[in-house]
Amino acid sequence: MTPAVTPNTTPAPALTLKAGTSWSDAWRRCLAVAPEAFREDRVLNLWGAAWRADGRALPATSPVDGGPVAGPPRLDAAAAHRAVRACLDQHRAWRHVPLGERRARVAAALDALTHHRDLLALLLVWEIGKPWRLARADVDRAVDGVRWYVDGIEPMVEGRTPLDGPVSNIASWNYPMSVLVHAMLVQALAGNAVIAKTPTDGGVACLTLACALAAREGVPVTLVSGSGGELSEALVRAPEIGCVSFVGGRDTGAAVATAIADRGKRHVLEQEGLNTWGIWNHTDWDALTAVLPKLFDYGKQRCTAYPRFVVQRALFDDFLAAYLPAVRTLRVGHPLAVEQPDDPFPRLDFGPVINAAKAKELTDQVAEAVDRGAVPLYRGRPADARFLPGQDTGAYVQPVTLLNPPPSSPLHHAEPFGPVDTIVLVDTEAELLAAMNASNGALVATLSTDDRATYERLAPQIRAFKVGHGTPRPRGDREELFGGFGASWRGAFVGGELLVKAVTQGPPGERLPGNFPDYHLMP
């Protein structure tokens, strides 16, 4: 008689926080590295070349575990106007600093950022929930990207001059370093003083440390916090501002566009769009399976995420056979939870979304879509996630995939900004194009098709700035240009030399590549 096999019921070991990575550890390091910018209980605002304990510091919590982190010290409108006027004074001096000296100061700032790379990354983990590898990549992309400009700036500014006023930066919370700090340092390298508003939802400590390191090297940066409604009069409408650079949603972007419409002010407004991935007469399913987990990096909380798949109905069974095994491999959890305190950082695809309110919004949207007819094809299991014992998990959302979200659902026409995929089935090329263009313009798109001629014929009809052939399109670094079609972009395109052109004056009558009220010009 064969003896019964007793199943292994040994519970998995409880996870613990990686040694030296607590928020209090990170905060103590900030106090030691930049005591001019941090106090025991708050961060400071930077304006008029001085760190100031003004503004009302609001409480804030980490999406990672719901614990307290640094909150933004919010200025009122009057203080913001004073900060803008002080920034203009810095601008008038900085625009006459020789290029060689500007290069040296920005390069020194990059060296300082590199030296404190791991602290900046740790702050990103706690403040906006990025897994460690993605947090470090955000810092590295900022530094490496600006170094490319430092090394090649001369021909980019030849025959050009800085703007008449400083550049105002208002950006979303998801990429504080590789988008916001990167833009600020390139704008300064081109001869402009820069002012930035800290994102409302997170990143204030990371940005404060980065600006402290840059300010020490004499780079004219201003960093302030406050509500968008109260600060917009100063940061968007003030006559001292030479250019407004905005990254965020369409509603806020439209308000910014309206505010500058009659002022002839230089502007760069990157807005959201529903980036789509089309599948048409395609057979290389192994390639699709391999790339799918990467599309969930940071829980799809990025402007170039692909939350919508538009699939030829006849290929739907093959698509599912490629898709489902890939999403089942996704690793979700606390970005700093390990089995032993000295273990390496966990390799996760994503941690929390930005806050518990966003998690509830996504969960409610999914439930409503299913209630109105969407078919749930996949739901990640919370039991498979990596969490510390008893931690707050209110900001975590497991990956979800829905088939055919109803037209009444926000998931049908808008970017969810979270780990929610939707699939739409089509039967004709016309339906494919209509579904891929559902949001009136996007930043990126991809079409997977075996036939190159089919791609060449359909890609120009997809209203996205970049269209990949079977591969995802990134935002771009260094020389790669970036922009958007339709409602996803307003103003000058950026990337490569276009970023410098967007924040400098060229010859009279110059028409910059971009999407402007009176013209659209591709590079």
Side-chain angles (χ1 to χ4, degrees):
M1 182 174 180
T2 304
V5 177
T6 303
N8 182 2
T9 58
T10 303
L15 299 178
T16 187
L17 194 69
K18 181 172 173 60
T21 65
S22 70
W23 172 255
S24 60
D25 290 328
W27 190 254
R28 283 194 296 270
R29 290 167 64 185
C30 289
L31 288 169
V33 170
E36 70 272 29
F38 293 85
R39 295 291 181 268
E40 289 289 342
D41 61 342
R42 62 177 292 169
V43 299
L44 306 183
N45 287 300
L46 170 62
W47 60 272
W51 291 95
R52 304 169 188 268
D54 51 6
R56 184 166 59 96
L58 298 184
T61 58
S62 169
V64 171
D65 63 359
V69 294
R74 297 175 64 152
L75 296 179
D76 58 22
H81 275 290
R82 291 195 295 271
V84 168
R85 287 192 291 270
C87 189
L88 176 62
D89 291 338
Q90 288 181 295
H91 179 81
R92 287 170 171 166
W94 178 254
R95 71 195 307 271
H96 297 296
V97 171
L99 177 59
E101 185 175 344
R102 299 202 305 264
R103 287 182 60 185
R105 293 190 188 183
V106 172
L110 296 177
D111 291 341
L113 294 174
T114 300
H115 183 71
H116 295 289
R117 168 203 193 200
D118 284 356
L119 177 54
L120 291 162
L122 184 58
L123 293 171
L124 291 179
V125 173
W126 281 111
E127 293 192 284
I128 61 174
K130 283 201 170 185
W132 179 250
R133 67 178 177 87
L134 298 178
R136 291 182 95 190
D138 193 18
V139 178
D140 291 345
R141 283 183 61 194
V143 172
D144 295 343
V146 179
R147 284 200 194 279
W148 182 84
Y149 285 94
V150 168
D151 292 341
I153 188 63
E154 286 92 344
M156 298 185 200
V157 296
E158 186 175 357
R160 309 188 67 82
T161 58
L163 300 174
D164 293 333
V167 181
S168 175
N169 292 269
I170 303 169
S172 57
W173 45 265
N174 53 341
Y175 284 89
M177 293 296 299
S178 63
V179 174
L180 182 52
V181 170
H182 175 278
M184 293 169 66
L185 291 179
V186 175
Q187 293 159 6
L189 180 65
N192 304 286
V194 295
I195 182 170
K197 174 187 171 298
T198 61
T200 302
D201 289 323
V204 61
C206 178
L207 286 167
T208 299
L209 179 59
C211 287
L213 297 174
R216 282 182 184 175
E217 305 302 335
V219 180
V221 294
T222 295
L223 184 68
V224 296
S225 295
S227 72
E230 193 156 17
L231 266 59
S232 64
E233 188 68 32
L235 299 184
V236 176
R237 297 180 176 88
E240 294 93 340
I241 297 296
C243 175
V244 176
S245 177
F246 169 87
V247 180
R250 289 192 178 183
D251 290 344
T252 306
V256 172
T258 299
I260 61 178
D262 298 330
R263 291 169 168 80
K265 194 186 297 289
R266 189 74 61 89
H267 58 283
V268 178
L269 309 183
E270 175 187 330
Q271 301 170 160
E272 63 189 356
L274 184 62
N275 306 319
T276 58
W277 192 302
I279 308 287
W280 189 262
N281 292 341
H282 175 74
T283 60
D284 190 359
W285 301 110
D286 289 343
L288 183 64
T289 299
V291 77
L292 277 166
K294 297 182 185 300
L295 303 184
F296 276 87
D297 274 357
Y298 195 32
K300 302 209 172 194
Q301 296 176 106
R302 22 188 201 101
C303 64
T304 53
Y306 288 85
R308 167 67 51 79
F309 290 89
V310 181
V311 182
Q312 188 176 6
R313 191 183 305 273
L315 300 179
F316 185 47
D317 55 342
D318 289 329
F319 172 82
L320 278 186
Y323 178 90
L324 292 176
V327 295
R328 290 185 180 119
T329 69
L330 294 174
R331 299 154 297 183
V332 184
H334 189 304
L336 303 171
V338 294
E339 292 185 7
Q340 299 296 329
D342 293 330
D343 282 352
F345 288 90
R347 289 191 61 82
L348 301 176
D349 295 290
F350 61 94
V353 296
I354 188 56
N355 52 45
K358 179 62 179 180
K360 183 180 186 305
E361 174 189 293
L362 286 170
T363 302
D364 290 348
Q365 287 179 350
V366 169
E368 182 182 55
V370 171
D371 185 60
R372 295 181 180 181
V375 179
L377 297 177
Y378 178 77
R379 294 180 193 264
R381 300 193 314 160
D384 294 333
R386 295 171 52 91
F387 294 129
L388 297 179
Q391 77 161 82
D392 186 316
T393 60
Y396 290 80
V397 177
Q398 301 304 311
V400 178
T401 307
L402 300 179
L403 174 66
N404 289 338
S408 59
S409 168
L411 297 176
H412 179 81
H413 54 78
E415 181 181 16
F417 229 63
V420 179
D421 273 351
T422 56
I423 301 171
V424 172
L425 304 183
V426 295
D427 296 297
T428 67
E429 289 185 356
E431 290 178 331
L432 174 82
L433 292 170
M436 293 189 72
N437 293 330
S439 68
N440 182 28
L443 304 175
V444 297
T446 290
L447 178 61
S448 289
T449 181
D450 293 347
D451 182 34
R452 183 74 194 185
T454 298
Y455 172 80
E456 298 286 357
R457 178 167 49 82
L458 296 180
Q461 302 177 67
I462 299 171
R463 289 185 55 75
F465 188 79
K466 297 179 180 180
V467 181
H469 186 190
T471 57
R473 294 306 309 270
R475 190 180 194 276
D477 293 301
R478 302 175 180 87
E479 70 274 7
E480 189 169 358
L481 309 181
F482 192 59
F485 273 4
S488 69
W489 197 280
R490 300 170 190 258
F493 295 147
V494 296
E497 66 176 4
L498 292 189
L499 176 52
V500 174
K501 286 186 175 182
V503 295
T504 54
Q505 299 281 5
E510 178 183 49
R511 285 161 56 96
L512 294 174
N515 188 20
F516 294 93
D518 54 342
Y519 74 90
H520 179 90
L521 179 63
M522 290 296 292

